[in-house]
Amino acid sequence: MRSSAAVSSNVIRFPGPRAAPRDGRDQRGLLDTVYTSGALVVAADDRETKSLASRLQVFGFLNIAEITLDGSTRKLRPSEVSALSTERPWRLSRPSFDELPPLAG
């Protein structure tokens, strides 16, 4: 029989504080920013943020639109986003649940 007081642990604690998450540079931070503000404009050359956003779009957490030269937006499909174009800035927004088609029933 084994005693619960004699349980060994294989967890190693590394000294020092944990690294703080970078603002807007992780998926949760990016989602928090977009969901709080409603939208976020990403600079054309910000490949890291665009890469995060493209992964989140695949799962349906974000809408991505390309901002054209005249200021209008064009919604991008996941297949278009995968190229990570640095030609134009993007506008990230929450997916609108109002746009869902009604359930057939």
Side-chain angles (χ1 to χ4, degrees), residues 24 29-31 33-35 37-43 46 49 62-63 65 67 90-94:
L30 182 62
L31 277 178
T33 303
V34 172
Y35 277 47
S37 63
L40 177 70
V41 176
V42 178
D46 190 354
T49 304
L62 289 176
N63 286 335
I67 301 174
W90 287 359
R91 180 181 184 270
L92 309 179
S93 62
R94 293 177 65 156

Side-chain angles (χ1 to χ4, degrees), residues 5-87:
V7 175
S8 65
S9 174
N10 61 354
V11 177
I12 300 171
R13 185 183 185 296
F14 292 102
R18 290 184 180 203
R22 295 174 290 173
D23 295 332
R25 296 295 180 194
D26 60 344
Q27 290 181 359
R28 183 176 181 167
L30 182 62
L31 277 178
D32 287 345
T33 303
V34 172
Y35 277 47
T36 301
S37 63
L40 177 70
V41 176
V42 178
D45 60 347
D46 190 354
R47 294 182 66 80
E48 186 176 351
T49 304
K50 285 184 171 185
S51 176
L52 283 173
S54 65
R55 287 187 293 239
L56 292 170
Q57 184 195 27
V58 169
F59 294 112
F61 293 118
L62 289 176
N63 286 335
I64 299 176
E66 182 180 55
I67 301 174
T68 60
L69 294 175
D70 63 355
S72 62
T73 59
R74 182 179 71 88
K75 189 173 179 179
L76 297 176
R77 296 186 309 263
S79 60
E80 295 174 311
V81 169
S82 64
L84 286 178
S85 172
T86 57
E87 295 174 6

